Amino acid sequence: MTGNNPIIRLENLGMRFDNIMVLEELNLDIHNGEFITLLGPSGCGKTTLLRLIAGFESPTSGTVSIDGRIMNDVPPNQRRVNTVFQSYALFPHMSVSNNLAFGLRMAGIAKRERDQRVREALAMVDLPDMGDRMPANLSGGQQQRVAIARAVINNPKALLLDEPLSALDAKLRKRMQVQLKHLCRKLGITFVFVTHDQQEAFAMSDRVVVLDNGRIEQVGTPEEIYEEPVNLKVARFVGETCILDGSAHHWSDGILHAIVEGQPCQLKTRRSFGSHESIRVVLRPEDMVIVPEDDIASTHQPRLPGTVNETVYKGSTWDMVVDLDCGKQILITEFFNEDEDRICHKTGDRVIVSWFEGWEVVLPHEHA
Amino acid sequence: MNMHNRFRFLSISGAILWLSVFGLFPGLLMMGTSFLARHEAHLVDFRFSLEGYRTIIDPAFLKILWNSLYLAAGTTLLCLLAAYPFAYTLARMETRWKKVLLMLVMIPFWTNSLVRTYALVFMLKTRGIVSTILVWLGITAKPVSFMYTEAAVFIGLTYTLLPFMILPLYSAVEKIDGKMIEAARDLGAGSWRTFFHVTLPLTMPGIVAGCMMVFLPALGMFFVPDMLGGGKHLLVGNFIKNQFLVARDWPTGAAAGVVLTLLMLALIYVHGVSKGRLNKAGKKKS
Amino acid sequence: MSQIRNTWRLLPVYIFLYTPMAALVAFSFNNSKFSTAWKGFTWQWYARLASNTQLMDAAINSLTIAILSATIATVLGVLLAVALFRYRFCGRRAVQAGLFVVMMSPDIVLGISLLLLFVLMGIRPGFLPLLTAHTTFCLPFVVATVYSRLKGFDPHVIEAAEDLGASEYQAFKNVILPMIMPAVAAGWLLSFTLSMDDVIISFFMTGPDYEVLPLQIYSMVKMGVKPDVNALSTIMIGVTVCLVFVSQLLMRKTK
């Protein structure tokens, strides 16, 4: 990442279609060489944002700058960013080589250099002998790689990827995730990736931008987003959550003394809360533990009694749905520990539920 | 204007210019003319007048209009009755001959309608093919001519316009998901109920489109009554043609043209409604 | 089995459609001027047709008009269809509505309104009015043919071209045009056929010094059967069969 000059800067960006707000007051700096993912549910505006950067739409308000230059009125063919489309959008009437050469031809690059660069690009995406094929005769994964090669061959300042993996099967998608991340490092080009799949976002990105309803909810590394979501919306969107209600008592030095679901406990949080303020404690299934009933010495607190509703064997984990006595239903994921004898709980068993100390996220109560 | 926009500008404005000058402006001219007075020497007299409209509400014109509507509507009905089972069967067929069978409908569709009307003369005239067959079968003793009768005009219009009914119906039936008909049968509907509750509503836009493509031209095809009707059984088309070329009463001809245009717009509206209803229903489901 | 039965059900319509045309074709080879009875095979009507300069001139005029108007309508129609597909400009819906109205307008209405236009402009019936009128009524059909082809492919392909540095014109020339080529050809053929078919609109556009084929035939056959017209009609049917065949091949390529 180079200094303070972002490669793409979005300032107060707003977008309306037929008076419907799609993006609102959006500010974002994208740095050179980073892999950034725009994550959000469908209809959140992430694809529109990408199209604004590419130049297919012009913003209703605010500015898009690429490499320090305001680009609002610059058409897509004069912007040095390239897009990989969800549908790949390969030219069906051109061979793979001609697809790859298209951008270079438009830029007026001589045939000899063109051929050379097409060969290199084909080798880069592991399709060295496919140059003469027509796109229709390629598999989905191959078309995908041609689409990526066709974009990066132009040495763009940024590569924009609009859910490019969504048409691939799960196995191929996992492999492409790794390859894309690798490609980003190797080429040193900024990747702006759009997806609605949080696992995909976390697997590849340096930073993740969570979008909802045309607004940025949170920007951060995958760890920050997952472990310290700024609000319930983000928390809910990026994974299974278990949300407990409580009220604050007093806060000092990062420790909040509070009552959660009727049990006194100490919570770790950097936020400060006023006395008697309503709070919510956000936990992930893997944060939760079942405390043996006789283990009085356990540091786990608070201790929430409940009844096992359902157990699901998942291979590497045991998932358990527990109905707490306070009326909430929660999901607990326990990883197998080979060293440990474990009691297998059955439906109907009474259990005590708690969580690993310090793994909780405390948020103010919001009416969402 | 930079290079970027010039192509866009030229392609849009060129086509729009052509469409307005040669497509829409003449329509306005026709409307304007219908409100002018007739002039013996200069064709039209540039003063406002309702004479043209007064002439066409004259019983003589109304009789022609009524007769023309009768012929056109009758033709539309005949075409619909013949085309629907045909188009349905063809669209639902699964053979490799389907393309050829469809092409056999395209050929008359694209053949000059005057030539096809002319071909009918061989069938209908005295000692024509129909007459010969009837004599051979012993149904009539002497050769008969069907020329210059109302039936001949009906046959002529139906013959020329039948392909225009078949093709929209064919594409409407082909669009229906076969599973939908199977679903109706599966839910216990008999063939007739399936037809009335599923097939018919789904093909309604095709029916309306086909009826438009038959009914509107049928009002105007003046050469069919000229050749087969012997100048009797006139259409609005004959009336307009005569006003322009024989009677030289342009305002009246233009007024009749305006009436036809209004009729067309009404049918376009009905078509839009039937299509819109189906689209809306489809969207709600998905 | 049921397939065969279905084919039988189609038969009456085919008989209705083809018997008159077959009769016309057959009688163009009949060695008798008036009778419908078969008097032996002859080429003489075709020979006489070739020496009928009036009909031959009209045929050449018709072909000229058909080729020119199909070409102009195709150029305009392709540009307009692509513009309607690619751009959101003000008046886009009005243009679509206008095209639909022109397409559905009864020929007689189009004919008299264009006649009024040319009278107002002081242009005498003949070549220019015929050419413009034919181009105008072909235009909506070209737009419809090309537009439906455009709708069939991924709009992102055009965006991809622009994204890769193609200007709007380059994207049109290098990507859109090659992809819609079969539809462009089909649109041209359609226009050519429509132009050759037209009777009613041409009726108001032709003058004594520029006759077209259908109207020449019309004035000849109003009063009955003419053997050289039989020969000419047979040729026209033959040409139509070829055109339909070619356009079907193009359509198959389109899919």
Side-chain angles (χ1 to χ4, degrees):
Chain A
M1 286 171 214
T2 56
N4 297 329
N5 284 339
I7 192 83
I8 296 168
R9 165 166 275 176
L10 311 174
E11 275 175 303
N12 301 321
L13 201 61
M15 185 71 191
R16 288 163 172 279
F17 285 124
D18 302 328
N19 276 324
I20 295 164
M21 190 65 91
V22 182
L23 292 174
E24 209 176 341
E25 286 295 297
L26 206 133
N27 288 288
L28 181 66
D29 281 357
I30 298 172
H31 306 294
N32 202 2
E34 76 172 326
F35 197 125
I36 193 164
T37 298
L38 309 176
L39 173 67
S42 59
C44 71
K46 55 192 192 300
T47 296
T48 307
L49 185 53
L50 202 70
R51 291 172 61 81
L52 281 166
I53 300 173
F56 299 128
E57 317 277 354
S58 20
T60 340
S61 60
T63 55
V64 176
S65 316
I66 299 174
D67 218 9
R69 217 182 114 204
I70 291 179
M71 287 299 207
N72 282 21
D73 297 320
V74 179
N77 55 319
Q78 288 161 36
R79 298 191 186 195
R80 289 213 45 207
V81 292
N82 287 116
T83 306
V84 177
F85 292 88
Q86 183 171 12
S87 57
Y88 314 144
L90 299 178
F91 305 127
H93 59 295
M94 294 182 195
S95 68
V96 168
S97 291
N98 285 337
N99 262 283
L100 260 59
F102 188 86
L104 304 176
R105 219 172 83 208
M106 292 301 120
I109 286 165
K111 186 167 189 322
R112 183 177 299 185
E113 190 190 336
R114 240 162 43 205
D115 291 346
Q116 173 65 25
R117 277 167 72 175
V118 167
R119 260 198 306 280
E120 285 168 13
L122 281 173
M124 177 188 75
V125 293
D126 286 330
L127 296 169
D129 304 320
M130 297 288 186
D132 294 329
R133 294 263 195 111
M134 296 306 272
N137 302 329
L138 299 178
S139 71
Q142 289 169 332
Q143 289 184 22
Q144 155 82 74
R145 281 182 282 167
V146 173
I148 293 170
R150 184 179 70 172
V152 298
I153 197 171
N154 307 293
N155 284 328
K157 299 220 186 277
L159 188 67
L160 312 175
L161 303 105
D162 186 7
E163 308 220 14
L165 307 181
S166 61
L168 305 180
D169 63 68
K171 222 169 132 189
L172 197 53
R173 195 154 68 217
K174 286 260 151 53
R175 221 167 58 212
M176 282 309 295
Q177 288 172 4
V178 177
Q179 287 191 6
L180 276 177
K181 193 170 174 177
H182 186 71
L183 199 64
C184 178
R185 297 279 170 278
K186 201 169 99 186
L187 298 170
I189 296 176
T190 309
F191 276 40
V192 184
F193 189 94
V194 160
T195 185
H196 63 270
D197 180 338
Q198 52 96 5
Q199 282 190 337
E200 194 167 281
F202 289 170
M204 293 188 288
S205 317
D206 296 317
R207 284 198 303 158
V208 175
V209 179
V210 183
L211 281 164
D212 190 43
N213 275 328
R215 294 164 188 273
I216 293 182
E217 296 288 346
Q218 188 171 2
V219 183
T221 62
E223 294 82 8
E224 283 166 356
I225 303 274
Y226 190 74
E227 286 165 17
E228 294 164 45
V230 292
N231 57 32
L232 280 177
K233 219 188 263 173
V234 175
R236 283 212 184 98
F237 187 69
V238 297
E240 268 306 330
T241 48
C242 152
I243 294 159
L244 302 175
D245 292 315
S247 71
H249 193 252
H250 71 273
W251 181 83
S252 62
D253 293 337
I255 301 293
L256 179 68
H257 299 266
I259 309 283
V260 174
E261 300 295 349
Q263 301 249 0
C265 58
Q266 293 179 5
L267 305 169
K268 238 176 154 174
T269 175
R270 271 174 292 172
R271 284 173 203 257
S272 72
F273 291 89
S275 185
H276 302 297
E277 194 180 329
S278 287
I279 58 166
R280 287 196 149 170
V281 179
V282 177
L283 294 151
R284 301 289 178 198
E286 60 272 22
D287 299 343
M288 311 298 292
V289 285
I290 303 278
V291 188
E293 213 152 339
D294 50 347
D295 187 4
I296 310 290
S298 159
T299 54
H300 293 305
Q301 52 111 3
R303 299 158 71 90
L304 306 169
T307 312
V308 177
N309 180 308
E310 188 79 69
T311 61
V312 184
Y313 175 68
K314 281 264 185 81
S316 57
T317 60
W318 260 105
D319 285 4
M320 220 177 300
V321 179
V322 177
D323 294 329
L324 295 180
D325 290 356
C326 62
K328 292 217 157 67
Q329 192 175 61
I330 59 167
L331 179 71
I332 302 173
T333 299
E334 289 207 35
F335 290 87
F336 289 120
N337 188 339
E338 285 177 12
D339 303 335
E340 206 175 292
D341 279 345
R342 92 173 20 253
I343 313 140
C344 285
H345 297 283
K346 299 189 303 292
T347 303
D349 282 1
R350 293 288 295 166
V351 288
I352 302 280
V353 176
S354 189
W355 64 81
F356 291 108
E357 203 182 328
W359 289 23
E360 69 275 5
V361 174
V362 188
L363 295 170
H365 191 95
E366 43 184 308
H367 301 279
Chain B
M1 192 163 306
N2 57 23
M3 265 311 281
H4 169 63
N5 281 332
R6 196 181 295 158
F7 173 73
R8 180 192 302 209
F9 176 78
L10 284 178
S11 60
I12 295 175
S13 58
I16 288 181
L17 198 70
W18 188 285
L19 200 61
S20 4
V21 174
F22 298 113
L24 303 176
F25 179 62
L28 295 176
L29 266 182
M30 180 182 72
M31 208 153 89
T33 311
S34 73
F35 289 109
L36 297 177
R38 183 183 175 192
H39 192 285
E40 294 298 335
H42 300 106
L43 298 169
V44 287
D45 189 359
F46 286 92
R47 66 185 161 84
F48 178 79
S49 155
L50 288 173
E51 252 173 69
Y53 290 94
R54 213 166 289 140
T55 319
I56 64 165
I57 56 167
D58 184 85
F61 173 78
L62 283 184
K63 214 182 127 207
I64 292 174
L65 181 67
W66 180 246
N67 187 51
S68 182
L69 288 175
Y70 160 73
L71 286 170
T75 302
T76 311
L77 191 67
L78 283 173
C79 285
L80 186 61
L81 291 178
Y84 201 100
F86 178 86
Y88 188 86
T89 312
L90 185 57
R92 282 265 159 275
M93 258 169 51
E94 279 161 31
T95 99
R96 55 210 178 89
W97 295 105
K98 194 169 160 181
K99 279 218 169 84
V100 178
L101 290 172
L102 187 65
M103 211 168 95
L104 287 176
V105 182
M106 305 290 286
I107 288 169
F109 185 83
W110 291 125
T111 305
N112 188 302
S113 45
L114 188 76
V115 168
R116 294 181 59 227
T117 310
Y118 175 59
L120 268 185
V121 176
F122 286 90
M123 306 297 294
L124 300 177
K125 66 177 184 172
T126 329
R127 296 180 202 281
I129 290 175
V130 175
S131 163
T132 312
I133 290 172
L134 288 180
V135 171
W136 185 69
L137 289 174
I139 294 171
T140 56
K142 284 183 166 179
V144 281
S145 168
F146 294 89
M147 295 289 283
Y148 315 131
T149 60
E150 188 184 278
V153 178
F154 267 127
I155 293 171
L157 289 172
T158 307
Y159 181 64
T160 24
L161 295 168
L162 184 60
F164 291 79
M165 182 67 91
I166 293 176
L167 292 176
L169 285 178
Y170 173 85
S171 64
V173 176
E174 211 187 25
K175 260 187 219 144
I176 304 180
D177 187 353
K179 298 255 178 354
M180 238 186 265
I181 291 166
E182 279 168 18
R185 301 302 295 269
D186 183 62
L187 295 168
S191 339
W192 282 105
R193 293 221 286 185
T194 305
F195 179 75
F196 279 109
H197 292 286
V198 181
T199 316
L200 196 62
L202 286 173
T203 49
M204 206 34 116
I207 293 174
V208 178
C211 287
M212 273 169 83
M213 288 179 75
V214 172
F215 185 76
L216 287 172
L219 290 170
M221 295 195 119
F222 56 76
F223 56 86
V224 175
D226 272 2
M227 287 168 71
L228 301 174
K232 295 175 283 175
H233 316 289
L234 293 184
L235 299 172
V236 181
N238 298 76
F239 177 80
I240 295 176
K241 187 193 92 177
N242 288 338
Q243 293 306 313
F244 270 85
L245 299 174
V246 184
R248 296 254 152 195
D249 184 351
W250 287 24
T252 305
V258 171
V259 171
L260 266 192
T261 309
L262 292 177
L263 208 58
M264 169 193 71
L265 292 177
L267 283 176
I268 287 180
Y269 178 76
V270 172
H271 178 241
V273 168
S274 78
K275 216 172 159 181
R277 199 177 281 161
L278 203 64
N279 282 350
K280 221 187 264 167
K283 257 174 215 157
K284 257 180 216 159
K285 266 174 229 150
S286 63
Chain C
M1 185 57 209
S2 77
Q3 291 292 338
I4 294 167
R5 213 167 46 226
N6 280 342
T7 319
W8 280 109
R9 270 201 268 167
L10 301 178
L11 206 60
V13 168
Y14 285 122
I15 290 174
F16 176 62
L17 288 175
Y18 279 93
T19 318
M21 291 210 284
L24 175 58
V25 172
F27 283 112
S28 76
F29 298 105
N30 190 11
N31 197 359
S32 159
K33 190 159 181 180
F34 303 107
S35 168
T36 37
W38 185 254
K39 295 276 168 66
F41 183 88
T42 180
W43 284 107
Q44 67 161 305
W45 310 123
Y46 288 87
R48 222 170 82 172
L49 178 66
S51 59
N52 185 337
T53 46
Q54 210 181 2
L55 272 181
M56 283 292 124
D57 284 349
I60 289 167
N61 290 346
S62 269
L63 281 175
T64 314
I65 294 288
I67 290 170
L68 286 178
S69 65
T71 308
I72 302 172
T74 304
V75 171
L76 285 172
V78 167
L79 290 177
L80 186 55
V82 171
L84 285 172
F85 181 74
R86 273 173 106 180
Y87 310 131
R88 314 203 151 266
F89 51 91
C90 84
R92 184 170 171 271
R93 301 210 45 155
V95 170
Q96 280 173 316
L99 285 168
F100 191 60
V101 167
V102 172
M103 196 176 197
M104 292 313 295
S105 282
D107 288 353
I108 185 110
V109 170
L110 222 50
I112 58 167
S113 22
L114 282 163
L115 173 67
L116 288 168
L117 177 76
F118 291 116
V119 168
L120 186 78
M121 289 164 79
I123 298 170
R124 282 160 48 82
F127 175 75
L128 209 59
L130 268 172
L131 183 63
T132 31
H134 282 219
T135 306
T136 305
F137 72 71
C138 291
L139 185 63
F141 291 92
V142 177
V143 175
T145 312
V146 174
Y147 193 82
S148 71
R149 166 77 176 143
L150 280 166
K151 259 171 81 180
F153 63 65
D154 181 8
H156 293 309
V157 170
I158 302 174
E159 287 181 348
E162 287 174 9
D163 186 73
L164 294 167
S167 70
E168 303 211 353
Y169 173 68
Q170 283 171 319
F172 174 77
K173 194 186 78 176
N174 293 309
V175 176
I176 301 175
L177 204 53
M179 286 172 72
I180 59 174
M181 213 51 208
V184 175
W188 190 92
L189 277 178
L190 185 58
S191 301
F192 179 86
T193 329
L194 281 171
S195 170
M196 290 298 284
D197 275 3
D198 174 67
V199 180
I200 298 174
I201 295 172
S202 305
F203 187 87
F204 294 97
M205 298 292 124
T206 44
D209 39 311
Y210 203 87
E211 276 284 14
V212 285
L213 206 45
L215 290 170
Q216 196 71 48
I217 298 175
Y218 183 48
S219 57
M220 287 174 76
V221 301
K222 252 194 265 184
M223 291 303 138
V225 172
K226 297 282 183 310
D228 40 359
V229 174
N230 299 354
L232 182 60
S233 299
T234 302
I235 294 173
M236 287 173 77
I237 292 172
V239 170
T240 308
V241 172
C242 294
L243 286 178
V244 169
F245 195 72
V246 172
S247 68
Q248 286 299 301
L249 283 181
L250 282 171
M251 288 312 221
R252 193 168 305 174
K253 230 175 162 186
T254 305
K255 281 167 198 167

